[in-house]
Structure formats: structure tokens, C-alpha cells
Amino acid sequence: MSFLPIYTFDHPVLRKETSPITEDTEELQKLIAAMQKTMHHAEGIGLAANQVGKSLAMTVIDISETKGNEHILPLVLINPVIIGTHGESVFEEGCLSLPEIREDVVRPESIGIKFLNEDFKEVEMEADKLLARVMQHEVDHLHGKYFIDYLSPLKLSFLKGKLNKLRKGEVETDYPLAPPSGMKKKKK
Ligand code: ZN
């Protein structure tokens, strides 16, 4: 099994609302495993299904390799819904779909969230700090939203050059990327 290519800004699949998952299938379990492998290889701490081109409401998260979070087990969130928020914090975010871009984003500090886990069991939990941050970032992906959507028009204007390069696929990463949406597949 090889790594799945990651879709980048501004591919339509990343702007579209994803579909809820209604059935636990072998195909779904294969996708989960492939996404976990892809996320680890890319050294990400979260990956949404639409970031690998599948418009499904599912994300994988693993922050266990970050400092102080070694005890937090990897998570699979199917059809996640944020059911409550509390407080506010500022944190510098990055995204595998927006390589080379890191910006401060204001979000609630802690959240309540419910989802189905990889065994299709309903889970309701509270999360704070980095875990709450990653969960909100990933749930946003599932609704077609990037973290840069929170930036002011001025801050966004500073990123214009980088974003245009991304749109054209002019970016180098240590992980495979899907071709940019504007590019047609080469005919043989
Ligand atoms: Zn992201």
C-alpha cells in the first residue's frame, strides 16, 4: 500500500461539503488505514478524507508524537459534530493542503464533540488544547473550510503569492501531492 497523494489549495474537493458515512465497509477500513499511513508519512497530526480526494465526513488524528500528548491515542472521527465550545485561544496552524503556510488562528479553547469511531461506536468527549485545535481544523475541512478562511483580508493578501503558486502546483513537499485542479491529466 502506497501513500495517498494529498490534495492542495484550492482543489474543488476541499471546498465541498463532505457526505456522511452510513455504512462500515471493508473499503472504509482500508481508507482509514491508508489515511493514517499517509498522515504519519507526511508528519501531519490530522488528515481529513477530502484531503486525499474522498468527499466523506471522516478524519484521522494523531497528536501522540507532540510534546506532552504522548498519552493521547490516535483517533478516527466518522461524521464528527462539535456540540459545544468554550473559551478562546490563539495558535499557529499549518495544513498538509497548504504547505509552507503557517498563521495564527483564534478558535475556542475547548470543545465537546461527538462522532463514530473506527468500530462505528458512538463517542462523545471533551477535548482541549492541541487536540481541540486539531479536531476543529479537521471538522472545518469536512465542511469545505481552510484555516486561512479565518484570516483578515490584509493577512490573506500577504499570502496571495504563495496561494497562487499552490494553485499552479508550484510547491515542493516531502510527501506526494495530487495534481492541481487546473491541470488536465496528460493524455498518452
Ligand atoms: Zn488541514
Side-chain angles (χ1 to χ4, degrees), residues 51 94-96 137-138 141:
Q51 288 184 277
C95 180
L96 295 176
H137 177 119
E138 297 310 323
H141 273 306

Side-chain angles (χ1 to χ4, degrees), residues 6-132:
I6 293 178
Y7 287 62
T8 52
F9 185 85
D10 201 12
H11 197 286
V13 76
L14 285 163
R15 278 296 184 198
K16 219 177 109 183
E17 179 77 26
T18 56
S19 304
I21 294 170
T22 52
E23 239 191 320
D24 186 6
T25 61
E26 201 180 315
E27 203 186 343
L28 176 69
Q29 294 300 327
K30 275 188 187 159
L31 176 64
I32 291 170
M35 281 173 57
Q36 285 170 324
K37 200 176 160 185
T38 300
M39 171 178 67
H40 287 134
H41 173 254
E43 293 179 8
I45 52 178
L47 185 68
N50 49 347
Q51 288 184 277
V52 293
K54 310 274 182 215
S55 191
L56 296 170
M58 189 264 286
T59 172
V60 296
I61 289 174
D62 184 3
I63 63 167
S64 65
E65 281 180 40
T66 62
K67 213 173 166 235
N69 296 309
E70 297 80 3
H71 60 291
I72 298 178
L73 297 173
L75 287 163
V76 176
L77 284 70
I78 297 167
N79 306 335
V81 180
I82 292 171
I83 50 178
T85 63
H86 182 76
E88 199 177 275
S89 73
V90 183
F91 188 81
E92 193 186 66
E93 295 190 23
C95 180
L96 295 176
S97 295
L98 288 160
E100 293 173 25
I101 295 174
R102 299 197 71 87
E103 292 289 338
D104 280 345
V105 180
V106 184
R107 293 186 190 267
E109 160 83 29
S110 56
I111 60 166
I113 189 168
K114 65 174 187 182
F115 54 91
L116 301 175
N117 68 11
E118 66 275 27
D119 301 320
F120 249 63
K121 295 224 166 70
E122 200 166 289
V123 178
E124 203 173 302
M125 66 180 280
E126 280 174 27
D128 66 357
K129 299 185 181 135
L130 183 63
L131 185 59

